[in-house]
Amino acid sequence: MSFGEQRRAAVTRVLSIAVTPDASGSFTSDPANTDGIVSVAFNATVTATFTATSGWELVRWELDGVSQGSTNPITVTMGANHLLVAVGQLTAVARSFAVDSAGNVVSLGTT
């Protein structure tokens, strides 16, 4: 291992993980995080998993502000410090109903 490689290997990299909006869900990581912060060695990998709150879904992951798609979990190689954000949205719900001749709703359902 060269001197430069030894220096990089000794340096810790930090991944900050967040969810937006907060109500959309939560995340776990491997290695484990402390308050959304994971510290690892240079070029180590971190895997983050988003768990949606009921009625929400993952739209995309953003790494340093750039969309990474919605594959869940996501793995990040830590060649530098990064910010990873899980972006959630409310799940679309289809509603159906029927109206009687008097104009009253007689059934309501969701799908």
Side-chain angles (χ1 to χ4, degrees):
M1 185 181 290
S2 73
F3 178 72
E5 290 170 328
Q6 289 173 349
R7 288 188 61 205
R8 283 192 298 274
V11 175
T12 299
R13 298 294 185 220
V14 175
L15 177 64
S16 300
I17 309 172
V19 172
T20 188
D22 290 342
S24 64
S26 61
F27 61 86
T28 57
S29 65
D30 182 21
N33 69 86
T34 302
D35 297 325
I37 304 293
V38 182
S39 297
V40 294
F42 177 79
N43 273 350
T45 59
V46 178
T47 300
T49 303
F50 175 78
T51 302
T53 302
S54 179
W56 292 82
E57 63 187 355
L58 177 66
V59 176
R60 70 184 172 278
W61 290 100
E62 292 181 355
L63 184 63
D64 301 327
V66 177
S67 178
Q68 303 297 306
S70 59
T71 300
N72 192 30
I74 187 171
T75 299
V76 178
T77 301
M78 296 300 296
N81 295 332
H82 293 293
L83 170 62
L84 180 65
V85 178
V87 179
Q89 73 177 11
L90 287 170
T91 305
V93 177
R95 303 213 181 264
S96 62
F97 62 92
V99 179
D100 66 16
S101 60
N104 299 309
V105 174
V106 292
S107 66
L108 178 64
T110 60
T111 56

